[in-house]
Amino acid sequence: MINKKVANVQDALKGVSNNMTFMLGGFGLSGIPENSIAELVKLGVNGLTCISNNAGVDDFGLGLLLQEKQIKKMVSSYVGENDEFERQMLSGELDVELIPQGTLAERCRAAQAGFPAIYTPAGFGTEVAEGKETREFDGKMYVLEHAFKAHFAFVKAWKGDEAGNLVFKGTARNFNPNMCGAAKITVAEVEELVPLGDLDPNQIHIPGIFVQRIFQGEVYEKRIEQRTVRPKS
Amino acid sequence: MLDKNGIAKRIAKEVQDGYYVNLGIGIPTLVANYVRNDIEVEFQSENGVLGMGPFPFEGEEDADVINAGKQTITTLPGASFFDSALSFSMIRGQHVDLTILGAMEVAENGDIANWKIPGRMVKGMGGAMDLVASAENIIVAMMHTNKRGESKLLKKCSLPLTGVGCVKRIVTNLAVIEVTDNGFKLLERAPGVSVDDIKNATEGTLIIDGDIPEMDI
């Protein structure tokens, strides 16, 4: 077994520096790498380009890095639950590239899978396709979208083991598996680091080969963005 | 004239047995409340769940189980979770049978605009561009006119596009309309709404062929 375990978040983030490009898993606040984000705030690295579907809220998720003005550019599909984000975007301090959600996922997956680019129908005929190569296949038009290149991918899983194998829970899975192995170094944080052999090989979502470093997060707030319930009756 | 629930109720009649359905945020979300319960339908949410159920009971919310609107949800027996790439494989790969989404504008050639108003805060397209670029069967749920009373069914969209030539059917508070090669074809009138009312509220070419029946809802 090749051991991917690191002692703590500090060791997990060794090598991060200013002006790097990061991928960060999560949809809304669900499945975000909370511990890695908190450590990035502590490290104070800045000039970052962050590839993440969303940009957190003002006081949680990537919003914490925005508050400290550590992010130079966001590549996302949906933003705006975040006043500070809006302020920085409108003032021009923050560069924002909005891309279709499926394109975001597939540009991660392409990087993971060794494809330099993919053709997608999403965005053809819209401003998203401006300046990009387009091509017709079987009478339908497609846009060429390039694989992402990133220094680190920070992902969050439910369970993992020292071999780096990961299991996700519910919709907290989202972009996390697609980002594993899509950057030079993939850092996985898990709610529970289980003993080797505890995870059933049949049930593993991401094999450890895609993960370079794994650690158990100290604490998970797992904040709910839109608590929606129905009455018991 | 229909309210938002009425629009949802009319669209629910388009949902057929065995359909996998993706519902957008807003009026489309309400459609789930009106689907007949003698048919089998599975709702997909693009953040990675198939087989969505109702909202959880208070105290049973799970931060790890949400829909694309980031609302806490439940799942039904037979549900599955998956990653974002696989989710959009279902969408782009045309495995989802019906997509219902809202719009700011629809043009008579089927173009749709629903993600950006220049000069205002831009939140992003989320999964909308993937959905409209791929789905065979797209129904737009929207009010016929905007808050200023201006038609949302236009000759040409004025806002930045989400997709080109993709909308097939529109259900508004006034009418059911099919997008054809020659323009908007009026299929049904909402209860108490006249053909003239619909004509007056439609900027794009409106095709009126014979008697237009009132919706049965």
Side-chain angles (χ1 to χ4, degrees), chain A residues 79-161:
Chain A
V79 294
E81 277 100 350
N82 189 323
D83 291 339
E84 179 60 17
F85 182 98
E86 186 169 344
R87 192 196 66 70
Q88 290 183 22
M89 180 173 169
L90 295 175
S91 72
E93 290 166 63
L94 180 69
D95 186 12
V96 180
E97 183 184 350
L98 292 169
I99 60 173
Q101 195 177 330
T103 300
L104 179 63
E106 210 59 28
R107 288 176 70 185
C108 293
R109 210 194 71 85
Q112 176 193 61
F115 295 120
I118 52 108
Y119 281 104
T120 176
F124 177 77
T126 75
E127 61 183 53
V128 163
E130 280 170 18
K132 291 176 184 164
E133 183 184 326
T134 57
R135 184 166 164 181
E136 184 181 329
F137 293 92
D138 295 326
K140 186 167 171 155
M141 294 303 295
Y142 295 81
V143 184
L144 187 74
E145 294 280 5
H146 290 265
F148 284 124
K149 288 190 171 73
H151 298 94
F152 280 84
F154 297 107
V155 304
K156 188 259 169 180
W158 178 35
K159 290 179 182 177
D161 63 20

Side-chain angles (χ1 to χ4, degrees), chain B residues 31-176:
Chain B
V31 173
N33 300 334
Y34 299 105
V35 174
R36 280 162 42 197
N37 51 20
D38 61 335
I39 61 173
E40 293 298 331
V41 172
E42 283 192 34
F43 291 105
Q44 196 249 20
S45 195
E46 61 268 25
N47 60 313
V49 55
L50 196 57
M52 259 192 296
F55 295 131
F57 290 121
E58 202 166 347
E60 293 175 10
E61 316 90 277
D62 183 345
D64 293 330
V65 184
I66 62 169
N67 64 17
K70 288 136 192 159
Q71 296 170 310
T72 44
I73 53 157
T74 60
T75 54
L76 297 172
S80 55
F81 296 115
F82 35 85
D83 65 65
S84 299
L86 196 60
S87 179
F88 282 91
S89 298
M90 294 175 192
I91 291 165
R92 279 191 315 265
Q94 300 185 339
H95 307 286
V96 172
D97 299 290
L98 175 62
T99 292
I100 303 167
L101 76 177
M104 297 173 189
E105 296 177 346
V106 178
E108 61 187 42
N109 67 348
D111 289 356
I112 177 172
N114 71 352
W115 76 283
K116 182 177 184 179
I117 301 175
R120 281 213 228 153
M121 172 62 190
V122 180
K123 293 198 166 188
M125 65 292 281
M129 284 193 182
D130 306 275
L131 283 158
V132 301
S134 315
E136 286 275 289
N137 196 0
I138 300 175
I139 301 178
V140 166
M142 67 177 190
M143 303 307 274
H144 211 97
T145 53
N146 64 23
K147 282 175 186 145
R148 294 181 300 280
E150 299 157 347
S151 182
K152 295 171 74 173
L153 288 88
L154 307 172
K155 287 192 188 309
K156 198 168 181 295
C157 291
S158 64
L159 295 169
L161 296 181
T162 308
V164 293
C166 48
V167 176
K168 303 286 187 300
R169 193 164 277 232
I170 308 161
V171 179
T172 74
N173 52 327
L174 303 182
V176 178

Side-chain angles (χ1 to χ4, degrees), chain B residues 7-30:
Chain B
I7 296 172
K9 211 168 165 182
R10 174 61 191 81
I11 291 176
K13 292 181 63 180
E14 306 284 325
V15 179
Q16 293 177 24
D17 191 26
Y19 267 14
Y20 293 101
V21 182
N22 180 288
L23 299 177
I25 293 164
I27 301 173
T29 306
L30 300 172

